[in-house]
Amino acid sequence: MVRSNQSSTVTEFLFSGFPQFEDGSLLFFIPLFIIYMFIVVGNLIVFFAVRMDACLHNPMYNFISVFSFLEIWYTTVTIPKMLSNLISKKRTISITGCLLQMYFFHSLGNSEGILLTTMAIDRYVAICNPLRYLTIMTPRLCAQLSAGSCIFGFLVLLPEIAWISTLPFCGPNQIHQLFCDFEPVLHLACTDTSMILIEDVVHAVAIIFSVLVIALSYIRIITVVLRIPSAEGRRKAFSTCASHLGVFLMFYGSVALMYLRFSATFPPILDTVIALMFAVLAPFFNPIIYSLRNKDVKIAIKKLLCLHKVFNASAS
């Protein structure tokens, strides 16, 4: 696609963050496709294992199942388009499609971030105030927190996306990224882009606030756990938090690299690596962490798979 002239109006954006692999595109398409299938299937297994096992019907596992469900859609917003771009010579997306991709990608990401914060608070109450845990984290409150995380995550971005949709885009239409993101798109607007700094500050404040809440929760949790006299008691208490802490470090570690750099610029290849870690690798490891490091989830998955085999056997 040829760049538009300054006087013309851009109707499509061109993804230029993809290296020109030519005939070697399949070498990148196949692993990315396998990773995407693993993310979808892995998170579906975790979701249904939790939902179908009565032993896991408690707040912590409910939050895990909701998080797994969000992860499926979080990756579906971007990875299929990446796969299409790898095997297509026309790596374009309409302005409307770009805005929708930005909205759903960041709304789902915000929902996950809020949910991770909620999960940290849940673990704080469970370990630091165990006698009141069941009376505080009731099924109703758990459902309200899960729904609230999703609703707030989707509502908070509406004004920002509505503002971006009013901007005029003309001239260079190349997005130097693997998917539509705020900063690369705003740099293409043929108007004052000083709002980019405000966007960066808003995103940074939201990220830092969530990280502080989670960090303070776990500092308090670790302090309480270290006071447990028995080594077995400490091990059990830490094991209930290990999975969540691992997902938190991966999610917010990649988010920090992506959105807490302000005016700092990275080489294009490093930008691509960070984007892949943020949008692909972190979701890839989540079902592994929740299944392999959690004995209860592993048992539930085995039950689910056995039930599937019995159903297939009876059907045949």
Side-chain angles (χ1 to χ4, degrees), residues 174-204:
Q174 297 189 20
I175 297 178
H176 299 284
Q177 190 51 278
L178 301 179
F179 52 87
C180 288
D181 207 356
F182 289 117
E183 186 173 355
V185 171
L186 286 173
H187 275 301
L188 301 182
C190 50
T191 185
D192 180 26
T193 57
S194 59
M195 284 292 291
I196 293 175
L197 179 60
I198 298 175
E199 295 288 318
D200 287 342
V201 171
V202 170
H203 294 158

mmCIF file of all heavy atoms in Angstrom, residues 174-204:
data_model
loop_
_atom_site.group_PDB
_atom_site.id
_atom_site.type_symbol
_atom_site.label_atom_id
_atom_site.label_comp_id
_atom_site.label_asym_id
_atom_site.label_seq_id
_atom_site.Cartn_x
_atom_site.Cartn_y
_atom_site.Cartn_z
ATOM 1 N N GLN A 174 1.493 4.532 8.490
ATOM 2 C CA GLN A 174 2.155 3.304 8.912
ATOM 3 C C GLN A 174 2.218 3.200 10.432
ATOM 4 O O GLN A 174 2.740 4.083 11.105
ATOM 5 C CB GLN A 174 3.564 3.232 8.326
ATOM 6 C CG GLN A 174 3.573 3.165 6.809
ATOM 7 C CD GLN A 174 4.961 2.876 6.257
ATOM 8 O OE1 GLN A 174 5.828 2.382 6.966
ATOM 9 N NE2 GLN A 174 5.170 3.186 4.991
ATOM 10 N N ILE A 175 1.673 2.099 10.964
ATOM 11 C CA ILE A 175 1.724 1.812 12.397
ATOM 12 C C ILE A 175 2.936 0.931 12.660
ATOM 13 O O ILE A 175 2.985 -0.213 12.199
ATOM 14 C CB ILE A 175 0.445 1.102 12.882
ATOM 15 C CG1 ILE A 175 -0.768 2.015 12.699
ATOM 16 C CG2 ILE A 175 0.580 0.683 14.337
ATOM 17 C CD1 ILE A 175 -2.075 1.365 13.105
ATOM 18 N N HIS A 176 3.909 1.458 13.361
ATOM 19 C CA HIS A 176 5.127 0.702 13.641
ATOM 20 C C HIS A 176 4.926 -0.164 14.881
ATOM 21 O O HIS A 176 5.587 0.001 15.915
ATOM 22 C CB HIS A 176 6.313 1.656 13.823
ATOM 23 C CG HIS A 176 6.598 2.486 12.613
ATOM 24 N ND1 HIS A 176 7.225 1.980 11.499
ATOM 25 C CD2 HIS A 176 6.309 3.779 12.333
ATOM 26 C CE1 HIS A 176 7.329 2.920 10.580
ATOM 27 N NE2 HIS A 176 6.780 4.025 11.059
ATOM 28 N N GLN A 177 3.997 -1.078 14.776
ATOM 29 C CA GLN A 177 3.675 -1.989 15.875
ATOM 30 C C GLN A 177 2.958 -3.194 15.296
ATOM 31 O O GLN A 177 2.506 -3.162 14.146
ATOM 32 C CB GLN A 177 2.812 -1.273 16.932
ATOM 33 C CG GLN A 177 2.595 -2.021 18.235
ATOM 34 C CD GLN A 177 3.882 -2.510 18.862
ATOM 35 O OE1 GLN A 177 4.404 -3.549 18.468
ATOM 36 N NE2 GLN A 177 4.407 -1.763 19.838
ATOM 37 N N LEU A 178 2.810 -4.255 16.097
ATOM 38 C CA LEU A 178 2.163 -5.481 15.634
ATOM 39 C C LEU A 178 0.647 -5.403 15.709
ATOM 40 O O LEU A 178 -0.046 -6.231 15.119
ATOM 41 C CB LEU A 178 2.651 -6.679 16.455
ATOM 42 C CG LEU A 178 4.160 -6.943 16.432
ATOM 43 C CD1 LEU A 178 4.495 -8.148 17.296
ATOM 44 C CD2 LEU A 178 4.659 -7.158 15.007
ATOM 45 N N PHE A 179 0.138 -4.432 16.460
ATOM 46 C CA PHE A 179 -1.308 -4.250 16.591
ATOM 47 C C PHE A 179 -1.570 -2.777 16.859
ATOM 48 O O PHE A 179 -0.646 -1.994 17.107
ATOM 49 C CB PHE A 179 -1.876 -5.118 17.717
ATOM 50 C CG PHE A 179 -1.168 -4.953 19.040
ATOM 51 C CD1 PHE A 179 -1.551 -3.961 19.935
ATOM 52 C CD2 PHE A 179 -0.118 -5.789 19.395
ATOM 53 C CE1 PHE A 179 -0.907 -3.793 21.146
ATOM 54 C CE2 PHE A 179 0.544 -5.635 20.612
ATOM 55 C CZ PHE A 179 0.147 -4.648 21.488
ATOM 56 N N CYS A 180 -2.829 -2.388 16.788
ATOM 57 C CA CYS A 180 -3.182 -0.983 17.025
ATOM 58 C C CYS A 180 -3.045 -0.655 18.511
ATOM 59 O O CYS A 180 -3.648 -1.311 19.358
ATOM 60 C CB CYS A 180 -4.620 -0.719 16.572
ATOM 61 S SG CYS A 180 -4.825 -0.716 14.783
ATOM 62 N N ASP A 181 -2.247 0.359 18.796
ATOM 63 C CA ASP A 181 -2.045 0.793 20.172
ATOM 64 C C ASP A 181 -2.114 2.316 20.228
ATOM 65 O O ASP A 181 -1.971 2.993 19.209
ATOM 66 C CB ASP A 181 -0.707 0.291 20.693
ATOM 67 C CG ASP A 181 -0.696 0.119 22.198
ATOM 68 O OD1 ASP A 181 -1.697 0.469 22.839
ATOM 69 O OD2 ASP A 181 0.315 -0.367 22.741
ATOM 70 N N PHE A 182 -2.306 2.838 21.420
ATOM 71 C CA PHE A 182 -2.569 4.268 21.563
ATOM 72 C C PHE A 182 -1.470 5.140 20.973
ATOM 73 O O PHE A 182 -1.728 5.995 20.117
ATOM 74 C CB PHE A 182 -2.766 4.623 23.044
ATOM 75 C CG PHE A 182 -4.048 4.122 23.614
ATOM 76 C CD1 PHE A 182 -4.050 3.203 24.647
ATOM 77 C CD2 PHE A 182 -5.267 4.553 23.117
ATOM 78 C CE1 PHE A 182 -5.232 2.731 25.177
ATOM 79 C CE2 PHE A 182 -6.461 4.085 23.632
ATOM 80 C CZ PHE A 182 -6.441 3.166 24.668
ATOM 81 N N GLU A 183 -0.243 4.965 21.434
ATOM 82 C CA GLU A 183 0.826 5.871 21.022
ATOM 83 C C GLU A 183 1.107 5.810 19.521
ATOM 84 O O GLU A 183 1.181 6.863 18.871
ATOM 85 C CB GLU A 183 2.100 5.579 21.824
ATOM 86 C CG GLU A 183 3.205 6.590 21.549
ATOM 87 C CD GLU A 183 4.394 6.425 22.454
ATOM 88 O OE1 GLU A 183 4.330 5.579 23.363
ATOM 89 O OE2 GLU A 183 5.392 7.130 22.248
ATOM 90 N N PRO A 184 1.264 4.614 18.913
ATOM 91 C CA PRO A 184 1.508 4.598 17.454
ATOM 92 C C PRO A 184 0.383 5.238 16.652
ATOM 93 O O PRO A 184 0.645 5.913 15.649
ATOM 94 C CB PRO A 184 1.613 3.092 17.143
ATOM 95 C CG PRO A 184 1.996 2.457 18.425
ATOM 96 C CD PRO A 184 1.328 3.260 19.480
ATOM 97 N N VAL A 185 -0.876 5.060 17.083
ATOM 98 C CA VAL A 185 -2.002 5.638 16.357
ATOM 99 C C VAL A 185 -2.058 7.153 16.552
ATOM 100 O O VAL A 185 -2.274 7.904 15.604
ATOM 101 C CB VAL A 185 -3.329 4.976 16.791
ATOM 102 C CG1 VAL A 185 -4.530 5.721 16.202
ATOM 103 C CG2 VAL A 185 -3.365 3.514 16.354
ATOM 104 N N LEU A 186 -1.848 7.615 17.770
ATOM 105 C CA LEU A 186 -1.901 9.056 18.034
ATOM 106 C C LEU A 186 -0.802 9.807 17.279
ATOM 107 O O LEU A 186 -0.989 10.967 16.891
ATOM 108 C CB LEU A 186 -1.784 9.313 19.539
ATOM 109 C CG LEU A 186 -3.032 8.992 20.370
ATOM 110 C CD1 LEU A 186 -2.736 9.135 21.850
ATOM 111 C CD2 LEU A 186 -4.196 9.891 19.978
ATOM 112 N N HIS A 187 0.332 9.171 17.052
ATOM 113 C CA HIS A 187 1.418 9.819 16.316
ATOM 114 C C HIS A 187 1.055 10.026 14.848
ATOM 115 O O HIS A 187 1.702 10.809 14.156
ATOM 116 C CB HIS A 187 2.692 8.982 16.413
ATOM 117 C CG HIS A 187 3.484 9.248 17.651
ATOM 118 N ND1 HIS A 187 3.986 10.503 17.961
ATOM 119 C CD2 HIS A 187 3.853 8.435 18.680
ATOM 120 C CE1 HIS A 187 4.636 10.444 19.107
ATOM 121 N NE2 HIS A 187 4.573 9.206 19.568
ATOM 122 N N LEU A 188 0.013 9.325 14.374
ATOM 123 C CA LEU A 188 -0.401 9.462 12.976
ATOM 124 C C LEU A 188 -1.449 10.552 12.773
ATOM 125 O O LEU A 188 -1.794 10.864 11.640
ATOM 126 C CB LEU A 188 -0.969 8.118 12.470
ATOM 127 C CG LEU A 188 -0.020 6.924 12.523
ATOM 128 C CD1 LEU A 188 -0.693 5.694 11.960
ATOM 129 C CD2 LEU A 188 1.256 7.215 11.752
ATOM 130 N N ALA A 189 -1.962 11.107 13.860
ATOM 131 C CA ALA A 189 -2.981 12.159 13.733
ATOM 132 C C ALA A 189 -2.331 13.443 13.225
ATOM 133 O O ALA A 189 -1.279 13.857 13.705
ATOM 134 C CB ALA A 189 -3.651 12.400 15.074
ATOM 135 N N CYS A 190 -2.971 14.069 12.202
ATOM 136 C CA CYS A 190 -2.414 15.314 11.655
ATOM 137 C C CYS A 190 -3.001 16.502 12.414
ATOM 138 O O CYS A 190 -3.698 17.346 11.866
ATOM 139 C CB CYS A 190 -2.697 15.417 10.163
ATOM 140 S SG CYS A 190 -4.422 15.143 9.715
ATOM 141 N N THR A 191 -2.723 16.517 13.707
ATOM 142 C CA THR A 191 -3.171 17.591 14.588
ATOM 143 C C THR A 191 -2.238 17.619 15.780
ATOM 144 O O THR A 191 -1.274 16.843 15.855
ATOM 145 C CB THR A 191 -4.630 17.353 15.049
ATOM 146 O OG1 THR A 191 -5.067 18.485 15.824
ATOM 147 C CG2 THR A 191 -4.753 16.091 15.880
ATOM 148 N N ASP A 192 -2.497 18.481 16.735
ATOM 149 C CA ASP A 192 -1.656 18.586 17.918
ATOM 150 C C ASP A 192 -1.680 17.268 18.684
ATOM 151 O O ASP A 192 -2.744 16.756 19.049
ATOM 152 C CB ASP A 192 -2.174 19.716 18.819
ATOM 153 C CG ASP A 192 -1.331 19.868 20.073
ATOM 154 O OD1 ASP A 192 -0.143 19.494 20.045
ATOM 155 O OD2 ASP A 192 -1.872 20.344 21.090
ATOM 156 N N THR A 193 -0.492 16.692 18.935
ATOM 157 C CA THR A 193 -0.405 15.407 19.631
ATOM 158 C C THR A 193 0.125 15.559 21.059
ATOM 159 O O THR A 193 0.642 14.603 21.640
ATOM 160 C CB THR A 193 0.509 14.444 18.855
ATOM 161 O OG1 THR A 193 1.804 15.055 18.698
ATOM 162 C CG2 THR A 193 -0.062 14.102 17.489
ATOM 163 N N SER A 194 -0.003 16.749 21.617
ATOM 164 C CA SER A 194 0.460 16.942 22.994
ATOM 165 C C SER A 194 -0.349 16.126 23.985
ATOM 166 O O SER A 194 0.086 15.883 25.114
ATOM 167 C CB SER A 194 0.382 18.434 23.366
ATOM 168 O OG SER A 194 -0.959 18.900 23.243
ATOM 169 N N MET A 195 -1.550 15.678 23.543
ATOM 170 C CA MET A 195 -2.383 14.854 24.420
ATOM 171 C C MET A 195 -1.747 13.494 24.694
ATOM 172 O O MET A 195 -2.138 12.792 25.626
ATOM 173 C CB MET A 195 -3.760 14.641 23.784
ATOM 174 C CG MET A 195 -4.689 15.836 23.871
ATOM 175 S SD MET A 195 -5.229 16.180 25.556
ATOM 176 C CE MET A 195 -6.283 14.769 25.858
ATOM 177 N N ILE A 196 -0.743 13.130 23.881
ATOM 178 C CA ILE A 196 -0.073 11.845 24.098
ATOM 179 C C ILE A 196 0.534 11.791 25.491
ATOM 180 O O ILE A 196 0.468 10.767 26.175
ATOM 181 C CB ILE A 196 1.023 11.615 23.029
ATOM 182 C CG1 ILE A 196 0.389 11.451 21.654
ATOM 183 C CG2 ILE A 196 1.865 10.384 23.358
ATOM 184 C CD1 ILE A 196 1.396 11.330 20.534
ATOM 185 N N LEU A 197 1.140 12.906 25.943
ATOM 186 C CA LEU A 197 1.745 12.940 27.265
ATOM 187 C C LEU A 197 0.699 12.717 28.346
ATOM 188 O O LEU A 197 0.929 11.986 29.315
ATOM 189 C CB LEU A 197 2.463 14.282 27.478
ATOM 190 C CG LEU A 197 3.136 14.465 28.843
ATOM 191 C CD1 LEU A 197 4.200 13.390 29.048
ATOM 192 C CD2 LEU A 197 3.747 15.859 28.954
ATOM 193 N N ILE A 198 -0.471 13.347 28.186
ATOM 194 C CA ILE A 198 -1.550 13.159 29.157
ATOM 195 C C ILE A 198 -2.001 11.698 29.159
ATOM 196 O O ILE A 198 -2.244 11.109 30.218
ATOM 197 C CB ILE A 198 -2.730 14.098 28.841
ATOM 198 C CG1 ILE A 198 -2.283 15.559 28.936
ATOM 199 C CG2 ILE A 198 -3.904 13.825 29.770
ATOM 200 C CD1 ILE A 198 -3.337 16.562 28.532
ATOM 201 N N GLU A 199 -2.102 11.102 27.950
ATOM 202 C CA GLU A 199 -2.467 9.688 27.854
ATOM 203 C C GLU A 199 -1.464 8.836 28.615
ATOM 204 O O GLU A 199 -1.846 7.930 29.364
ATOM 205 C CB GLU A 199 -2.489 9.253 26.379
ATOM 206 C CG GLU A 199 -3.539 9.928 25.540
ATOM 207 C CD GLU A 199 -4.931 9.453 25.867
ATOM 208 O OE1 GLU A 199 -5.115 8.243 26.049
ATOM 209 O OE2 GLU A 199 -5.832 10.300 25.977
ATOM 210 N N ASP A 200 -0.179 9.109 28.435
ATOM 211 C CA ASP A 200 0.864 8.346 29.117
ATOM 212 C C ASP A 200 0.737 8.467 30.631
ATOM 213 O O ASP A 200 0.899 7.483 31.367
ATOM 214 C CB ASP A 200 2.251 8.829 28.678
ATOM 215 C CG ASP A 200 2.592 8.391 27.257
ATOM 216 O OD1 ASP A 200 1.929 7.467 26.758
ATOM 217 O OD2 ASP A 200 3.514 8.983 26.671
ATOM 218 N N VAL A 201 0.474 9.675 31.097
ATOM 219 C CA VAL A 201 0.358 9.906 32.543
ATOM 220 C C VAL A 201 -0.843 9.152 33.120
ATOM 221 O O VAL A 201 -0.745 8.511 34.179
ATOM 222 C CB VAL A 201 0.250 11.419 32.845
ATOM 223 C CG1 VAL A 201 -0.096 11.642 34.317
ATOM 224 C CG2 VAL A 201 1.546 12.125 32.489
ATOM 225 N N VAL A 202 -1.985 9.220 32.436
ATOM 226 C CA VAL A 202 -3.194 8.528 32.900
ATOM 227 C C VAL A 202 -2.945 7.022 32.985
ATOM 228 O O VAL A 202 -3.274 6.369 33.984
ATOM 229 C CB VAL A 202 -4.387 8.833 31.966
ATOM 230 C CG1 VAL A 202 -5.574 7.925 32.302
ATOM 231 C CG2 VAL A 202 -4.800 10.293 32.084
ATOM 232 N N HIS A 203 -2.349 6.456 31.940
ATOM 233 C CA HIS A 203 -2.060 5.024 31.931
ATOM 234 C C HIS A 203 -1.073 4.669 33.040
ATOM 235 O O HIS A 203 -1.236 3.653 33.725
ATOM 236 C CB HIS A 203 -1.483 4.599 30.580
ATOM 237 C CG HIS A 203 -2.461 4.723 29.458
ATOM 238 N ND1 HIS A 203 -2.074 4.836 28.139
ATOM 239 C CD2 HIS A 203 -3.818 4.775 29.443
ATOM 240 C CE1 HIS A 203 -3.135 4.929 27.374
ATOM 241 N NE2 HIS A 203 -4.207 4.920 28.137
ATOM 242 N N ALA A 204 -0.050 5.510 33.210
ATOM 243 C CA ALA A 204 0.966 5.231 34.225
ATOM 244 C C ALA A 204 0.376 5.257 35.629
ATOM 245 O O ALA A 204 0.677 4.388 36.456
ATOM 246 C CB ALA A 204 2.104 6.249 34.115
#
